[in-house]
Amino acid sequence: MPFAEPPPLPPAFEVSRFDLAQVGSGEGSIDLRTVKPRCPMSVSGEIVVCAPDPEKERAGPLPDTYNVAPGLPRAEIDIGGGASLNIHLDSGTLANGQIANRVMVGVKFKF
């Protein structure tokens, strides 16, 4: 995975006096971490709670002018005797893996 930002260049050290323990310490040193901290540093005795803003990625409410057109009524009719007839769309998979979209007629009996 590539870095979000290129890593900083390391400071110039003399090879004969290089000490890995001194790389991140002292004035003028650079931060060699690849992920920068999100939270501010705490002062002694403080507790810092840092969390992402939940409202940052949330979708806003829809405007009052947004209208949804009502859909068609259910295609079903009562044929009496506790039975109803309907027409609906369905899809199924054939033996060769193709998907078959079809119009179905159904009868429902109440018992």
Side-chain angles (χ1 to χ4, degrees):
M1 182 171 157
F3 291 119
E5 56 188 38
L9 296 174
F13 289 107
E14 292 181 27
V15 177
S16 61
R17 296 179 355 146
F18 177 74
D19 185 7
L20 190 59
Q22 296 176 358
V23 170
S25 63
E27 189 69 31
S29 65
I30 59 172
D31 188 7
L32 296 176
R33 294 177 287 191
T34 58
V35 178
K36 301 287 183 190
R38 292 183 297 126
C39 300
M41 298 300 293
S42 66
V43 180
S44 63
E46 287 184 342
I47 297 174
V48 176
V49 178
C50 184
D53 183 12
E55 299 295 323
K56 181 180 176 185
E57 303 295 328
R58 183 172 291 188
L62 293 173
D64 294 337
T65 58
Y66 181 76
N67 293 326
V68 177
L72 295 173
R74 190 174 194 96
E76 185 171 4
I77 188 167
D78 185 24
I79 55 176
S84 63
L85 181 70
N86 67 23
I87 185 167
H88 59 276
L89 301 175
D90 193 14
S91 65
T93 307
L94 300 176
N96 61 1
Q98 290 183 334
I99 296 178
N101 296 321
R102 49 196 172 208
V103 177
M104 304 289 286
V105 176
V107 178
K108 295 182 183 178
F109 297 101
K110 294 182 181 176
F111 55 94

